[in-house]
């Protein structure tokens, strides 16, 4: 495994990977666990009715998409998906997408006359939805390549323990640097976290100050193409988080 060193467990990432087998999903979850927030992917709304798994996806806050038909359906689908992803503006999230749209096989490769040696032609639908709904949240794109030296395995191979080698390379595009300051105080109500970035607004009336500090911080960070946010800490407290692009981003 290569490319995990600079990842952050409290970041917002969009993961794009080649797709050869259902095993890919488990490989990505295993390799990226602890390095980025728990992987999620967009699901058709009908899949919530899949026994056991559908309920698990719902409990894990996987975003469900409703695909309508007729005039204006695309606009309504996008609005519905944005509403489903609204909670991710407050919770660090990693969204996974297989750009090929289906698993690679030699037959599919030949049928498509794909110009890529080991990839099918990309389909931008899922990636487009992810960017349209959460594009401003993502800090970096993780370009992942999965290689099975002895051929793409099936799920049965995984269950039988017949997979003896997997190579995973992660390339971070649009890399950013994080600066975080955390306390264990009473925190701030959600409605006030954005309000305190306004000029002359103070979170408390104790002590001195004129309410310009956070406004100045946000102005400086935004001038450097970065972002600043206040996030809740469990069981109580507040996390101030500044994200800035690195020099080579």
């Amino acid at each position: 495994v290569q490319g995990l060193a600079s990842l952050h467990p409290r970041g917002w990432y969009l993961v794009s990977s080649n797709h050869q087998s259902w095993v890919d999903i488990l490989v990505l979850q295993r390799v990226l666990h602890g390095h980025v927030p728990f992987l999620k992917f967009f699901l058709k709304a009908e899949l919530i009715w899949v026994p056991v798994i559908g309920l698990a996806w719902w409990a894990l806050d996987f975003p469900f998409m409703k695909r309508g038909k007729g005039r204006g359906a695309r606009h309504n689908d996008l609005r519905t998906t944005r509403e489903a992803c609204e909670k991710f503006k407050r919770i660090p999230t990693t969204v996974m997408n297989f750009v090929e749209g289906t698993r690679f096989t030699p037959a599919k490769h030949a049928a498509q006359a794909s110009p890529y040696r080991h990839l099918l032609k990309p389909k931008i639908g899922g990636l487009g939805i992810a960017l349209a709904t959460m594009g401003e949240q993502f800090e970096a794109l993780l370009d992942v390549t999965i290689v099975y030296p002895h051929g793409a395995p099936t799920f049965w191979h995984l269950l039988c323990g017949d997979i003896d080698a997997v190579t995973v390379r992660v390339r971070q595009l649009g890399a950013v640097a994080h600066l975080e300051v955390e306390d264990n105080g009473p925190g701030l109500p959600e409605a006030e976290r954005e309000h305190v970035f306004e000029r002359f607004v103070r979170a408390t009336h104790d002590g001195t100050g004129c309410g310009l500090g956070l406004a100045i911080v946000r102005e400086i960070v935004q001038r450097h193409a970065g972002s600043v946010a206040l996030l809740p800490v469990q069981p109580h407290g507040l996390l101030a988080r500044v994200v800035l692009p690195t020099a080579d981003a």
Side-chain angles (χ1 to χ4, degrees), residues 12 139 176-179 221 224-229 241-245:
W12 275 265
E139 300 168 10
V176 295
H178 299 80
L179 173 63
V221 170
H224 289 82
S227 64
V228 58
R241 188 166 189 257
V242 175
V243 179
L244 291 167

Side-chain angles (χ1 to χ4, degrees), residues 82-99:
R82 279 178 172 162
E83 292 173 355
C85 295
E86 188 68 23
K87 67 188 70 175
F88 298 141
K89 292 183 178 180
R90 302 182 297 272
I91 304 172
T93 303
T94 301
V95 174
M96 178 177 63
N97 179 254
F98 294 117
V99 179

Side-chain angles (χ1 to χ4, degrees), residues 1-9 13 31-36 142 168-172 175-178:
V1 178
Q2 297 178 352
L4 300 179
S6 60
L7 301 183
H8 195 281
Y13 296 104
V31 168
L32 295 176
H33 178 69
H35 298 280
V36 301
L142 302 185
V168 180
R169 293 188 176 92
V170 180
R171 186 168 60 124
Q172 187 173 178
V176 295
H178 299 80

